[in-house]
Amino acid sequence: MLKIKQLDTIGLDTHSQLCDLLTVCIEHGASLGFYTPVNSDMLQQYWYSVAQAIATKERKLYALYRGDALVATVQLSLCMKENGRHRADVEKLLVHPNTQRRGYATILMRHMEQSALENGRTLLVLDTQSTDKAELFYQAFGYTKVGQIPFYVSDNQGQLHSTSYYYKYLAHGTACLNVN
């Protein structure tokens, strides 16, 4: 049974599951801002900073569970500037490698987009490493590539890669909550 939760706090058990999910995604080659071998202190600090942003209402964290197991997450970082309250950044879409290709990212993204609309956010932006498999997913999900910056990010071997930037305008009614 799949269940989506918007996490308003990050308790100890959830913190541990989030660290584990991020670790396994990094170890499987995802470009998420961390190197291998994974520094667990850095990951713990990262999730503490996310918890602080959730508490100040600057960020929303959505989690997809299969039973009690956390299988995917995505974040919505809300622009707090007065002239930017219509936009948000999509960050850290994580799907456990053992559960990929089952539609979990799609389910979670639909839910996140619906929540964005409910929070008055109609423009979503994101970035991802160019040529990464995530690019194909975002394109298929209706995000438009607006460009890339060469040599923007390095992989865990120190090789530099381009980063691609995407946006999606959510006209009211374009996001849906259908999780089936």
Side-chain angles (χ1 to χ4, degrees):
M1 169 110 183
L2 295 177
K3 174 177 43 176
I4 298 175
K5 292 182 184 177
Q6 180 180 324
L7 303 178
D8 296 322
T9 60
I10 299 177
L12 288 177
D13 182 54
T14 301
H15 186 268
S16 176
Q17 287 187 66
L18 289 166
C19 285
D20 290 347
L21 178 60
L22 184 53
T23 297
V24 73
C25 289
I26 294 165
E27 289 174 345
H28 277 81
S31 177
L32 296 164
F34 301 93
Y35 290 140
T36 56
V38 173
N39 179 326
S40 62
D41 289 339
M42 286 180 72
L43 296 190
Q44 289 181 29
Q45 185 56 45
Y46 169 74
W47 288 114
Y48 286 130
S49 71
V50 170
Q52 288 178 316
I54 291 169
T56 59
K57 309 264 190 250
E58 296 173 32
R59 181 177 303 262
K60 298 192 178 292
L61 174 61
Y62 307 94
L64 179 66
Y65 291 87
R66 188 175 67 200
D68 293 330
L70 177 66
V71 294
T73 65
V74 69
Q75 298 174 46
L76 192 62
S77 179
L78 306 174
C79 182
M80 303 307 283
K81 296 176 185 175
E82 189 173 13
N83 69 347
R85 301 242 167 125
H86 65 287
R87 68 179 190 256
D89 291 333
V90 177
E91 297 180 2
K92 297 274 190 288
L93 175 60
L94 307 173
V95 179
H96 194 288
N98 292 341
T99 64
Q100 290 180 358
R101 314 261 337 135
R102 296 183 188 176
Y104 294 169
T106 299
I107 291 168
L108 201 52
M109 290 290 287
R110 282 184 181 146
H111 183 84
M112 179 274 303
E113 287 182 358
Q114 182 62 43
S115 178
L117 279 173
E118 291 167 1
N119 284 275
R121 308 303 167 137
T122 55
L123 180 66
L124 301 182
V125 296
L126 61 85
D127 66 84
T128 191
Q129 183 177 311
S130 300
T131 71
D132 187 80
K133 64 183 177 182
E135 275 203 286
L136 296 175
F137 171 77
Y138 293 127
Q139 290 168 9
F141 206 70
Y143 283 76
T144 301
K145 185 174 181 175
V146 292
Q148 64 186 40
I149 299 174
F151 314 114
Y152 190 79
V153 66
S154 64
D155 63 21
N156 58 9
Q157 316 311 292
Q159 259 280 103
L160 295 175
H161 297 273
S162 297
T163 294
S164 297
Y165 290 85
Y166 288 84
Y167 79 93
K168 185 174 185 179
Y169 179 71
L170 304 176
H172 289 281
T174 60
C176 69
L177 257 179
N178 183 6
V179 295
N180 293 326

